[in-house]
Amino acid sequence: MNKIIVAIDGPAGTGKSTTAKILAKKLGVLYIDSGAMYRCITFLVLKNNVDVNDVEKIISLAKDAKIELSDEKVVLNGVDVSKDIRTLEVTNKVSTISKIKEVRKILVDKQREYANENSVIMDGRDIGTVVFPNADFKFFLICDLKTRAIRRQQDFLDLGQKISLEKIIMEIKKRDDIDSKRAESPLRKAKDAIEVDTTNMIIEEQVDFLFKKITNTET
Ligand code: DC
């Protein structure tokens, strides 16, 4: 297979990461979770008690951050932070940190580096619009709010955090709102992206749908 770049974008809880991870394995390509990178910077901000308005300090944390992504874990400055970056505290702040233009530039450069030598599947918010506008395949996943919230609630439960559905619905709405209204690289469907509504799909169906589009094996 020639080198390919697959971009998967969409709001929180549409199943992007799970789909992308399985798909990457099936295709034998590298999977990059760009949201994990924004979460790492947010985690550092919280851990170091940095004010979210202290943009200079946040930029310097982002510049110095050594993020290593693999299928199994996210390693930040030598420490496994796979679970720490998924807590509600990080989730609640990540959209604010992601708005910072310079932070985005630092992380987008890193994201593009991954694709220099590898075929990649990358999921996020601006992958098909900004990071890889020439991606070979672009998908935009959508899903109704309640279904997304139920999926997120299970993710938090897996981490040992029991959170009410109402609270999660509020968190998702707020995050979608900030992510889609920000000035820098807002969440938006690329003109040439294929929209996939995952509301009534199980993960296997989502993976299968994208796999067939990519390998051109639709029946
Ligand atoms: O996919 P996720 O929920 O882990 O992403 C966390 C946040 O990171 C998301 O709310 C906005 C930000 N993000 C972004 O701004 N651009 C990306 N390409 C990926 C994520």
Side-chain angles (χ1 to χ4, degrees):
M1 192 169 68
N2 292 332
K3 188 170 157 257
I4 58 159
I5 295 179
V6 179
I8 305 181
D9 290 303
T14 48
K16 299 183 301 289
S17 300
T18 316
T19 304
K21 202 184 257 184
I22 301 172
L23 198 58
K25 274 229 165 71
K26 271 184 91 145
L27 293 166
V29 309
L30 188 66
Y31 163 57
I32 300 295
D33 175 356
S34 69
M37 301 170 82
Y38 291 93
R39 286 174 180 273
C40 279
I41 309 305
T42 308
F43 172 74
L44 282 175
V45 169
L46 293 174
K47 186 170 157 260
N48 292 289
N49 287 318
V50 175
D51 189 304
V52 290
N53 297 310
D54 188 350
V55 174
E56 289 310 311
K57 180 76 189 146
I58 298 172
I59 295 169
S60 111
L61 283 176
K63 272 192 188 142
D64 295 340
K66 190 166 179 295
I67 302 171
E68 296 163 82
L69 301 174
S70 71
D71 274 2
E72 294 79 38
K73 54 188 178 185
V74 178
V75 176
L76 172 63
N77 297 332
V79 179
D80 183 348
V81 293
S82 316
K83 287 198 171 152
D84 307 279
I85 61 166
R86 309 272 166 208
T87 61
L88 187 63
E89 294 68 37
V90 170
T91 305
N92 276 337
K93 282 278 177 308
V94 66
S95 288
T96 307
I97 304 303
S98 313
K99 282 198 292 188
I100 305 170
K101 185 178 175 181
E102 293 83 354
V103 169
R104 300 202 69 81
K105 178 160 181 359
I106 293 163
L107 296 186
V108 168
D109 284 348
K110 286 187 206 268
Q111 288 154 16
R112 289 185 180 142
E113 269 172 35
Y114 284 113
N116 275 345
E117 290 175 7
N118 305 289
S119 283
V120 294
I121 295 184
M122 194 173 294
D123 76 319
R125 303 293 186 286
D126 60 340
I127 311 304
T129 50
V130 174
V131 184
F132 300 121
N134 298 319
D136 302 282
F137 298 94
K138 298 182 187 178
F139 298 96
F140 193 84
L141 271 48
I142 56 164
C143 179
D144 86 27
L145 182 62
K146 189 156 179 228
T147 309
R148 294 196 280 143
I150 292 169
R151 289 176 185 170
R152 278 290 180 211
Q153 192 179 39
Q154 187 57 49
D155 291 343
F156 283 121
L157 262 183
D158 293 344
L159 286 172
Q161 283 194 301
K162 197 164 181 271
I163 303 164
S164 73
L165 210 55
E166 292 69 35
K167 205 166 175 187
I168 296 184
I169 286 177
M170 266 167 50
E171 177 270 310
I172 292 183
K173 269 188 178 165
K174 189 171 161 219
R175 204 143 63 94
D176 282 353
D177 196 57
I178 303 177
D179 291 348
S180 51
K181 289 187 182 148
R182 69 182 177 218
E184 276 313 307
S185 315
L187 166 67
R188 199 158 288 163
K189 175 177 170 293
K191 280 197 189 75
D192 49 350
I194 300 169
E195 186 168 287
V196 188
D197 186 342
T198 69
T199 307
N200 295 308
M201 284 181 166
I202 55 167
I203 288 298
E204 288 74 14
E205 288 170 322
Q206 293 178 206
V207 172
D208 202 47
F209 181 88
L210 272 62
F211 182 79
K212 283 179 173 157
K213 290 275 178 210
I214 294 167
T215 55
N216 201 12
T217 52
E218 280 170 281
T219 45

